[in-house]
């Protein structure tokens, strides 16, 4: 009976855990929807900014423009901006991007270059601080759905490091959203900006839908229409001054998009992890229920044998 009670208690404990993991899965799914809505809300500004920069790119030859954010210089120190989360329970999301940043640091060291980390997220901060790595700045407590103000704050720090020549190049290590069950850590050069970085590309938007009671993601191509400025357009300001004012906005926008993708990847990873945990809990409950039924049947059989044995002893 003691064994039966322990199995019953464990079944109840697993059921309680399953309720928690299922609730966390639903919360993560709802936040993924919010992340998608924010991406769509910021798209008009991003598209318009890309159009203006495209027009300036056609009017000017960027390689002949001497602006601080476009100036290429000899690279001695690289700043690595690493984006992770503040919490766990999201599968390999944090460990994958940290491993990618470590590998990149090893590559830079092998090339004879120094590096400094700018860390976003408590997981990365704790990991690299324990290993006494060079850290130029840290950011924690960001909103689950990143905002433009947070991206601007981080971008200002990166601009300060680059313009003061504390670092000669800034690389972003973040997790690119692929699907609800797939994401990959990637590296993107943020500074200095190049004309290639200002080219418009087809973008993809993910839409979270449900079919048959299961979540799925649908992706669609979104092309940003680009038009060159009319040749007779007259600028009230020097186009170089306009470009100098727009490039920081473009950097902020690039960083915001990366933060949004990282947030979507973290939420999708957490939703997948909690879904797997719920499925594992169901399997464990089935296994424990089977063990409970076997133990209960064995106990009943033992009691019957004892009754039969006692009756035979009385008859004898």
């Amino acid at each position: 009976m003691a064994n039966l009670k322990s199995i019953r208690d464990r079944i109840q404990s697993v059921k309680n855990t399953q309720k928690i993991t299922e609730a966390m899965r639903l919360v993560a799914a709802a936040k993924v929807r919010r992340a998608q809505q924010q991406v769509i809300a910021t798209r008009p500004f991003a598209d318009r900014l890309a159009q203006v920069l495209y027009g300036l790119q056609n009017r000017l030859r960027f390689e002949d423009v001497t602006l601080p954010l476009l100036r290429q210089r000899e690279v001695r120190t690289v700043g690595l901006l690493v984006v992770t989360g503040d919490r766990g329970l999201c599968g390999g999301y944090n460990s994958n991007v940290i491993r990618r940043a470590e590998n990149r640091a090893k590559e830079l060291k092998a090339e004879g270059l120094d590096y400094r980390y700018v860390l976003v997220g408590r997981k990365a901060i704790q990991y690299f601080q324990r290993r006494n790595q060079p850290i130029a700045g840290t950011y924690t407590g960001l909103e689950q759905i990143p905002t433009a103000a947070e991206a601007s704050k981080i971008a200002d720090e990166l601009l300060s490091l680059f313009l003061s020549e504390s670092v000669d190049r800034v690389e972003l290590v973040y997790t690119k959203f692929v699907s609800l069950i797939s994401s990959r850590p990637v590296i993107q050069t943020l500074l200095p900006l190049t004309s290639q970085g200002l080219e418009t590309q087809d973008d993809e938007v993910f839409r979270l839908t449900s079919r048959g009671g299961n979540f799925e993601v649908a992706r669609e191509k979104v092309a940003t229409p680009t038009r060159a400025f009319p040749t007779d357009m007259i600028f009230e300001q020097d186009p170089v001054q306009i470009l100098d004012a727009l490039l920081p906005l473009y950097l902020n926008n690039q960083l915001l998009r990366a933060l949004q993708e990282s947030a979507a990847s973290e939420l999708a990873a957490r939703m997948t992890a909690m879904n797997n945990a719920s499925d594992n809990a169901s399997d464990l409950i089935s296994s424990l229920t089977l063990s409970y039924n076997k133990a209960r049947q064995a106990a009943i059989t033992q009691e019957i044998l004892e009754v039969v044995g006692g009756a035979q002893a009385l008859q004898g």
Side-chain angles (χ1 to χ4, degrees):
M1 293 300 294
N3 186 40
L4 290 176
K5 184 178 184 304
S6 65
I7 295 177
R8 282 199 305 269
D9 292 343
R10 191 177 180 192
I11 290 174
Q12 186 59 44
S13 175
V14 174
K15 286 182 178 180
N16 293 337
T17 302
Q18 185 182 33
K19 292 178 182 178
I20 296 174
T21 57
E22 182 64 17
M24 293 180 67
R25 182 185 72 87
L26 295 175
V27 170
K31 289 183 177 180
V32 168
R33 290 179 184 270
R34 289 178 53 201
Q36 170 61 31
Q37 292 171 356
Q38 188 184 37
V39 171
I40 296 175
T42 58
R43 184 172 300 280
F45 173 78
D47 290 348
R48 188 59 180 170
L49 180 60
Q51 292 177 17
V52 174
L53 288 174
Y54 179 79
L56 289 173
Q57 180 183 4
N58 289 338
R59 179 64 64 89
L60 300 171
R61 296 182 60 188
F62 278 11
E63 58 270 19
D64 296 336
V65 177
T66 56
L67 292 176
L69 298 186
L70 297 175
R71 185 163 59 90
Q72 302 282 341
R73 57 176 182 256
E74 182 182 359
V75 178
R76 296 187 177 89
T77 305
V78 177
L80 295 175
L81 175 62
V82 185
V83 181
T84 64
D86 287 334
R87 299 183 298 160
L89 297 177
C90 51
Y93 167 78
N94 291 311
S95 59
N96 289 339
V97 70
I98 288 174
R99 188 182 305 112
R100 186 70 181 91
E102 274 191 318
N103 292 337
R104 181 55 180 163
K106 292 178 181 177
E107 293 172 0
L108 294 173
K109 190 173 181 180
E111 296 174 6
L113 302 177
D114 292 330
Y115 61 89
R116 302 174 66 182
Y117 287 112
V118 177
L119 305 175
V120 177
R122 187 173 293 108
K123 292 298 182 179
I125 295 172
Q126 293 174 346
Y127 182 88
F128 288 109
Q129 282 181 343
R130 287 197 298 264
R131 288 157 178 79
N132 297 320
Q133 293 293 311
I135 299 175
T138 60
Y139 297 90
T140 59
L142 272 65
E143 295 291 336
Q144 187 72 69
I145 309 299
T147 64
E150 293 170 335
S152 178
K153 182 178 179 181
I154 299 173
D156 289 344
E157 174 69 20
L158 298 178
L159 285 173
S160 176
L161 291 172
F162 181 76
L163 296 178
S164 66
E165 299 189 3
S166 297
V167 299
D168 303 302
R169 187 172 70 224
V170 177
E171 296 180 355
L172 170 63
V173 186
Y174 73 104
T175 305
K176 185 175 182 60
F177 184 90
V178 179
S179 69
L180 288 179
I181 59 174
S182 177
S183 59
R184 67 177 186 273
V186 297
I187 297 177
Q188 175 186 345
T189 299
L190 286 180
L191 293 170
L193 295 172
T194 63
S195 58
Q196 288 77 18
L198 299 179
E199 293 174 355
T200 57
Q201 299 178 354
D202 287 348
D203 197 7
E204 284 188 331
V205 174
F206 64 92
R207 298 185 183 279
L208 185 65
T209 61
S210 60
R211 179 179 298 176
N214 297 321
F215 288 108
E216 64 177 22
V217 65
R219 301 180 72 88
E220 62 181 23
K221 285 284 187 179
V222 179
T224 302
T226 55
R227 298 188 303 270
F229 291 150
T231 55
D232 58 348
M233 177 177 286
I234 299 176
F235 294 96
E236 292 186 1
Q237 291 179 297
D238 187 343
V240 175
Q241 295 179 349
I242 299 175
L243 184 63
D244 190 27
L246 290 181
L247 286 178
L249 289 177
Y250 178 79
L251 175 64
N252 291 355
N253 182 256
Q254 290 289 92
L255 185 54
L256 177 59
R257 294 291 297 276
L259 292 176
Q260 289 174 339
E261 288 220 21
S262 294
S265 299
E266 179 185 358
L267 292 168
R270 181 168 292 113
M271 188 178 70
T272 301
M274 294 301 100
N275 184 66
N276 292 337
S278 297
D279 292 342
N280 292 337
S282 297
D283 294 340
L284 184 56
I285 290 172
S286 298
S287 177
L288 289 173
T289 301
L290 181 60
S291 298
Y292 176 80
N293 291 335
K294 288 182 178 180
R296 184 169 176 270
Q297 185 63 43
I300 294 173
T301 303
Q302 181 64 30
E303 291 177 358
I304 293 175
L305 291 176
E306 291 176 357
V307 172
V308 172
Q312 290 178 349
L314 291 176
Q315 291 177 358

